[in-house]
Amino acid sequence: MSRPRRPEPPPLETNDVLIALVGTGAWAVALVVLLIIGLPTPDRWWLWVCLGGIGTGLFAVWYIPRLHRGRAALAARRAAGPPGANGPPGANGAAGAAGATGAAGKDT
């Protein structure tokens, strides 16, 4: 006889922007250290690696809040009504023919 399965725990809430900022800061520190110690010419590509890490981190700081807002909006739409009720205009059969009249809503 098997025991009943435990319910899944809720997702862990994290501050993703803070994580991205810490990673970006670590890349910035690495860049400063490499600039201070100086690198021989064959190893200067490490500077570009640090700049790439900083650029990726700054993009993440910009993108993560937008990602969370989009996911929250999608969850709110799903919770607001039955499936398919919030789809794009013309998604169901009858409204699809009316939606194909043109940009201004007139037949051309």
Side-chain angles (χ1 to χ4, degrees), residues 27-51:
W27 281 113
V29 168
L31 177 65
V32 169
V33 168
L34 291 176
L35 289 173
I36 290 173
I37 64 170
L39 291 171
T41 303
D43 292 332
R44 298 246 170 121
W45 62 273
W46 281 107
L47 299 174
W48 291 106
V49 171
C50 293
L51 289 173

Side-chain angles (χ1 to χ4, degrees), residues 1-30:
M1 190 178 335
S2 63
R3 294 187 297 182
R5 188 173 174 186
R6 292 183 185 179
E8 293 182 16
L12 182 63
E13 295 292 328
T14 60
N15 186 348
D16 298 330
V17 174
L18 178 63
I19 293 169
L21 283 172
V22 169
T24 304
W27 281 113
V29 168

Side-chain angles (χ1 to χ4, degrees), residues 17 60-70:
V17 174
V61 168
W62 172 81
Y63 179 72
I64 288 171
R66 285 151 185 79
L67 176 69
H68 287 293
R69 279 196 302 268

